[in-house]
Amino acid sequence: MLDYAPLADRQEAWEESSELTSIQRKMFICNKLPIYRLPLLYPLEPGISYAAVKEALYAAFKAHKTLQVKYTYEPQLRKFYQRYTPLQPEEFIVESLRIIEPPDEYIRNLLAGIDLSADYPWRLAFLEWRDERYLWVEFHHIVIDGLGIRRFEQDFTGRLLEGQEVPPQASLPLSSYRRICELQRDNPGAPEATGRLLKLPELQDKPVPGVGRLTVPLDNNRQEAVQRLAKQLNVTKNAVFQGVLEEVLSRCCSGDTYGAIGNWRMGLGNFTEAGCYVRLMPKRMQAAGTTEDRIRTIHRDNLQTLMNRSNELPGMTEYPVMYSYEEDMFRHFRYIPADRMCKFQLYIRVYCYRQENGIEAEYSKAKYTEEQISAIISEFSTRLDHLAE
């Protein structure tokens, strides 16, 4: 049963608000566009009822105040705000949809993004296709990151499959967001922090709108080779992938500084709360050295960045080339890439999950050709194969 919140909980909604961070403002400005989508699919076993799923979902959302926020723009102040607004049972609706195409295609083909100014930054539905049933949970990236989804998934599946209670998060709902604002405030970043931004030559003669994607698998041989080298050098697998990618990019790009996806969680000491704590970090490529030297340097720099708790951090920069590494994020949910616009000119991510492992390049079709991106990913794959020899 869905319990109604007491009046005090409703009043608290107006006491917890915060200005948006710089990244959040950029996301809000792109409101309603088919971008920053994080759709997830969860196949439902025949014995699981919709009522049980809905109850587990509600419990997971209520446990995380950072997922119960709404967003507004105050034109007179010219400022963007987020406000904690407790979720109420009468607002919690999960509709059932009978679809005529596979759920992956249905989700990808949606044209409308989530309207941040209208409701909570997520949407839910049961999808029925042929004799199969799925739960579709889609978040807007403004409200959650990969670690946050993993926390949400653990709470949801623990409640649904094992009947576990979902403990509410004890932290103040928006305290971490306020801390991020403090870290970013009045910190434009020194010119030397950005260097010369890494770019590909724009060869697209007939630019077209939209996002292109190219994905290649990471087979067992490649993964084992990366693991062996990481153990040999006493570094992370992420450092190995990043070092190999830098060598590839150094041959086809101009400039020396690219961006990497990180987060504020280490500095904030926040690893259990759902929410979005994404941080864009500058990475400077080395001019020379062996592959092993490059990998060791990357590992050392990454470690120093994680341990850096000071306010001396670079300001926001538009990085044309971005890199990220993801490992073991979700156990039950399956992420469906669905953005129809590119967040960056070129975004390369390496993901290592239990069942799905690969390299994905997301690129702006208005900037680059498929042949350009294919050449990069092909050389990246070839160099990983050389490690396995």
Side-chain angles (χ1 to χ4, degrees):
M1 178 178 294
L2 306 183
D3 297 325
Y4 283 82
L7 178 60
D9 191 21
R10 297 177 184 227
Q11 292 175 338
E12 182 185 1
W14 301 101
E15 299 174 1
E16 292 295 345
S17 63
S18 177
E19 280 191 59
L20 299 190
T21 67
S22 53
I23 293 179
Q24 289 175 318
R25 287 196 299 271
K26 291 172 66 67
M27 292 181 178
F28 192 97
I29 290 171
C30 295
N31 192 32
K32 297 184 182 180
L33 295 176
I35 190 173
Y36 298 116
R37 297 179 59 192
L38 294 174
L40 307 161
L41 268 182
Y42 177 69
L44 298 178
E45 296 293 334
I48 297 179
S49 69
Y50 284 168
V53 175
K54 184 177 179 181
E55 192 275 337
L57 280 172
Y58 184 80
F61 276 106
K62 287 294 289 184
H64 297 279
K65 292 183 177 181
T66 46
L67 300 182
Q68 302 172 72
V69 293
K70 293 187 177 182
Y71 300 83
T72 58
Y73 173 66
E74 298 294 342
Q76 293 181 340
L77 300 176
R78 295 185 179 181
K79 291 184 177 181
F80 300 87
Y81 292 95
Q82 57 191 341
R83 178 175 288 116
Y84 167 55
T85 310
L87 179 63
Q88 302 301 323
E90 66 271 19
E91 301 174 301
F92 193 70
I93 300 173
V94 187
E95 60 180 336
S96 299
L97 302 175
R98 169 67 65 176
I99 57 178
I100 60 174
E101 56 190 336
D104 301 47
E105 295 182 16
Y106 174 82
I107 291 172
R108 288 193 182 97
N109 290 336
L110 283 177
L111 297 177
I114 294 174
D115 186 354
L116 295 175
S117 63
D119 208 340
Y120 292 106
W122 36 262
R123 53 188 171 192
L124 311 166
F126 295 116
L127 301 181
E128 300 173 352
W129 178 63
R130 296 180 177 175
D131 296 328
E132 300 172 357
R133 301 179 307 153
Y134 298 86
L135 170 65
W136 167 32
V137 180
E138 181 166 330
F139 293 100
H140 192 291
H141 206 338
I142 197 172
V143 76
I144 203 165
D145 57 23
L147 289 173
I149 292 175
R150 182 165 64 180
R151 176 74 262 171
F152 178 84
E153 181 195 54
Q154 289 171 349
D155 290 341
F156 164 66
T157 57
R159 178 77 172 187
L160 178 66
L161 304 179
E162 302 176 25
Q164 299 176 354
E165 292 296 324
V166 184
Q169 295 297 303
S171 62
L172 293 175
L174 297 175
S175 59
S176 293
Y177 287 124
R178 291 196 182 101
R179 177 61 177 146
I180 293 172
C181 288
E182 292 172 4
L183 290 171
Q184 293 181 346
R185 185 176 300 140
D186 301 324
N187 185 18
E192 62 269 22
T194 59
R196 295 182 302 110
L197 295 180
L198 198 68
K199 293 183 179 181
L200 276 170
E202 297 182 14
L203 301 180
Q204 184 61 276
D205 295 329
K206 299 179 180 179
V208 293
V211 55
R213 287 190 180 87
L214 181 63
T215 304
V216 296
L218 278 171
D219 58 25
N220 290 335
N221 290 336
R222 292 173 178 172
Q223 294 182 67
E224 291 172 1
V226 170
Q227 180 66 49
R228 284 196 303 270
L229 185 56
K231 185 175 182 180
Q232 174 187 334
L233 301 178
N234 195 28
V235 301
T236 62
K237 291 186 293 183
N238 175 33
V240 176
F241 283 116
Q242 194 172 346
V244 174
L245 178 61
E246 276 196 9
E247 289 196 340
V248 174
L249 293 177
S250 66
R251 295 178 176 272
C252 58
C253 297
S254 62
D256 59 10
T257 303
Y258 62 100
I261 302 293
N263 62 70
W264 297 97
R265 292 180 184 268
M266 178 67 75
L268 296 170
N270 186 333
F271 295 96
T272 61
E273 189 179 63
C276 185
Y277 302 96
V278 170
R279 170 185 172 193
L280 305 186
M281 303 181 297
K283 296 296 179 181
R284 178 76 65 84
M285 296 203 302
Q286 302 171 72
T290 66
T291 301
E292 289 77 9
D293 291 338
R294 183 188 296 271
I295 291 171
R296 288 191 183 96
T297 300
I298 288 173
H299 175 74
R300 183 179 65 250
D301 291 345
N302 288 346
L303 189 60
Q304 290 176 348
T305 300
L306 285 174
M307 299 307 296
N308 179 15
R309 294 172 180 265
S310 73
N311 290 358
E312 297 177 2
L313 300 168
M316 282 293 296
T317 301
E318 295 286 348
Y319 298 105
V321 178
M322 291 293 301
Y323 162 80
S324 73
Y325 176 80
E326 304 167 11
E327 185 172 357
D328 292 333
M329 281 297 178
F330 318 129
R331 299 294 192 272
H332 301 277
F333 290 152
R334 182 161 63 89
Y335 168 62
I336 309 296
D339 282 353
R340 289 178 171 267
M341 297 176 63
C342 194
K343 304 179 187 71
F344 312 99
Q345 293 183 16
L346 173 59
Y347 176 32
I348 298 177
R349 71 183 187 106
V350 177
Y351 56 94
C352 297
Y353 305 154
R354 292 190 300 173
Q355 302 297 329
E356 299 181 36
N357 305 279
I359 306 165
E360 181 180 76
E362 180 181 286
Y363 62 97
S364 169
K365 296 169 71 173
K367 298 286 186 180
Y368 307 129
T369 66
E370 182 178 351
E371 290 75 18
Q372 277 180 291
I373 309 305
S374 179
I376 292 173
I377 298 303
S378 177
E379 185 174 353
F380 191 9
S381 302
T382 299
R383 288 175 180 264
L384 293 176
D385 290 336
H386 288 165
L387 296 180
E389 293 178 352

